[in-house]
Short mmCIF file of all heavy atoms in Angstrom, two decimals:
data_model
loop_
_atom_site.label_atom_id
_atom_site.label_comp_id
_atom_site.label_asym_id
_atom_site.label_seq_id
_atom_site.Cartn_x
_atom_site.Cartn_y
_atom_site.Cartn_z
N TYR A 505 115.31 105.63 113.89
CA TYR A 505 114.85 106.34 115.09
C TYR A 505 116.02 106.91 115.88
O TYR A 505 117.08 106.30 115.96
CB TYR A 505 114.04 105.39 115.98
CG TYR A 505 112.60 105.22 115.54
CD1 TYR A 505 112.27 104.39 114.48
CD2 TYR A 505 111.57 105.90 116.18
CE1 TYR A 505 110.96 104.24 114.06
CE2 TYR A 505 110.25 105.76 115.78
CZ TYR A 505 109.95 104.93 114.72
OH TYR A 505 108.64 104.80 114.31
N LYS A 506 115.80 108.10 116.49
CA LYS A 506 116.80 108.70 117.39
C LYS A 506 116.08 109.22 118.62
O LYS A 506 114.89 109.58 118.55
CB LYS A 506 117.52 109.86 116.68
CG LYS A 506 118.43 109.40 115.57
CD LYS A 506 119.27 110.55 115.04
CE LYS A 506 120.16 110.09 113.88
NZ LYS A 506 120.94 111.20 113.34
N SER A 507 116.81 109.32 119.74
CA SER A 507 116.16 109.74 121.00
C SER A 507 115.71 111.19 120.93
O SER A 507 116.31 112.02 120.24
CB SER A 507 117.09 109.51 122.17
OG SER A 507 118.20 110.37 122.07
N THR A 508 114.66 111.51 121.67
CA THR A 508 114.07 112.85 121.65
C THR A 508 113.44 113.16 123.00
O THR A 508 113.22 112.25 123.80
CB THR A 508 113.01 112.96 120.53
OG1 THR A 508 112.54 114.29 120.45
CG2 THR A 508 111.81 112.04 120.80
N GLU A 509 113.18 114.43 123.24
CA GLU A 509 112.45 114.86 124.43
C GLU A 509 111.01 115.12 123.99
O GLU A 509 110.74 116.09 123.29
CB GLU A 509 113.06 116.15 125.00
CG GLU A 509 114.39 115.95 125.69
CD GLU A 509 114.25 115.19 127.01
OE1 GLU A 509 113.29 115.45 127.74
OE2 GLU A 509 115.09 114.31 127.27
N LEU A 510 110.11 114.25 124.40
CA LEU A 510 108.73 114.31 123.91
C LEU A 510 107.80 114.82 125.00
O LEU A 510 108.02 114.58 126.18
CB LEU A 510 108.31 112.91 123.47
CG LEU A 510 107.15 112.77 122.50
CD1 LEU A 510 107.41 113.50 121.21
CD2 LEU A 510 106.88 111.29 122.21
N ALA A 511 106.76 115.54 124.59
CA ALA A 511 105.75 115.99 125.56
C ALA A 511 104.38 115.95 124.90
O ALA A 511 104.26 116.12 123.68
CB ALA A 511 106.07 117.41 126.02
N LYS A 512 103.35 115.74 125.72
CA LYS A 512 101.98 115.77 125.20
C LYS A 512 101.40 117.14 125.50
O LYS A 512 101.31 117.56 126.65
CB LYS A 512 101.14 114.69 125.87
CG LYS A 512 99.69 114.66 125.36
CD LYS A 512 98.84 113.70 126.17
CE LYS A 512 97.39 113.73 125.71
NZ LYS A 512 96.52 112.94 126.58
N LEU A 513 101.04 117.84 124.45
CA LEU A 513 100.45 119.18 124.59
C LEU A 513 98.93 119.05 124.57
O LEU A 513 98.36 118.61 123.57
CB LEU A 513 100.94 120.07 123.43
CG LEU A 513 100.31 121.45 123.30
CD1 LEU A 513 100.62 122.32 124.52
CD2 LEU A 513 100.79 122.16 122.04
N ASP A 514 98.30 119.43 125.68
CA ASP A 514 96.83 119.41 125.77
C ASP A 514 96.30 120.81 125.53
O ASP A 514 96.91 121.80 125.98
CB ASP A 514 96.38 118.93 127.15
CG ASP A 514 96.54 117.43 127.31
OD1 ASP A 514 96.15 116.71 126.37
OD2 ASP A 514 97.07 116.99 128.35
N ILE A 515 95.18 120.92 124.84
CA ILE A 515 94.51 122.20 124.65
C ILE A 515 93.22 122.18 125.48
O ILE A 515 92.39 121.29 125.31
CB ILE A 515 94.19 122.47 123.16
CG1 ILE A 515 95.48 122.41 122.32
CG2 ILE A 515 93.48 123.79 122.98
CD1 ILE A 515 96.53 123.45 122.65
N LEU A 516 93.09 123.15 126.38
CA LEU A 516 91.92 123.21 127.26
C LEU A 516 91.02 124.37 126.85
O LEU A 516 91.49 125.50 126.67
CB LEU A 516 92.34 123.40 128.72
CG LEU A 516 92.98 122.21 129.44
CD1 LEU A 516 94.41 121.98 128.96
CD2 LEU A 516 92.98 122.41 130.93
N LEU A 517 89.74 124.10 126.69
CA LEU A 517 88.74 125.14 126.43
C LEU A 517 87.84 125.22 127.65
O LEU A 517 87.23 124.22 128.03
CB LEU A 517 87.89 124.78 125.20
CG LEU A 517 88.57 124.83 123.84
CD1 LEU A 517 87.57 124.52 122.75
CD2 LEU A 517 89.20 126.17 123.58
N ASN A 518 87.80 126.40 128.25
CA ASN A 518 86.95 126.59 129.43
C ASN A 518 87.31 125.57 130.52
O ASN A 518 86.44 125.04 131.21
CB ASN A 518 85.48 126.44 129.03
CG ASN A 518 84.56 127.16 130.01
OD1 ASN A 518 85.03 127.92 130.87
ND2 ASN A 518 83.27 126.90 129.91
N GLY A 519 88.62 125.26 130.62
CA GLY A 519 89.09 124.36 131.66
C GLY A 519 88.98 122.88 131.32
O GLY A 519 89.43 122.03 132.09
N LYS A 520 88.38 122.54 130.16
CA LYS A 520 88.23 121.12 129.79
C LYS A 520 89.14 120.80 128.60
O LYS A 520 89.15 121.54 127.62
CB LYS A 520 86.77 120.84 129.39
CG LYS A 520 85.79 120.93 130.55
CD LYS A 520 84.37 120.77 130.03
CE LYS A 520 83.35 121.12 131.12
NZ LYS A 520 82.02 121.35 130.57
N ALA A 521 89.86 119.67 128.72
CA ALA A 521 90.76 119.28 127.63
C ALA A 521 89.96 118.76 126.45
O ALA A 521 89.01 117.99 126.61
CB ALA A 521 91.71 118.19 128.13
N VAL A 522 90.33 119.22 125.23
CA VAL A 522 89.69 118.73 124.00
C VAL A 522 90.65 117.72 123.38
O VAL A 522 91.70 118.08 122.83
CB VAL A 522 89.42 119.90 123.02
CG1 VAL A 522 88.75 119.38 121.75
CG2 VAL A 522 88.58 120.97 123.67
N ASP A 523 90.31 116.42 123.51
CA ASP A 523 91.26 115.38 123.10
C ASP A 523 91.64 115.44 121.63
O ASP A 523 92.76 115.10 121.25
CB ASP A 523 90.74 113.99 123.48
CG ASP A 523 89.36 113.70 122.90
OD1 ASP A 523 88.79 114.59 122.26
OD2 ASP A 523 88.86 112.57 123.09
#
Side-chain angles (χ1 to χ4, degrees):
Y505 279 79
K506 291 188 182 178
S507 66
T508 185
E509 287 290 320
L510 201 59
K512 181 187 177 187
L513 173 63
D514 285 315
I515 303 297
L516 288 74
L517 290 183
N518 203 10
K520 292 174 190 164
V522 181
D523 55 357

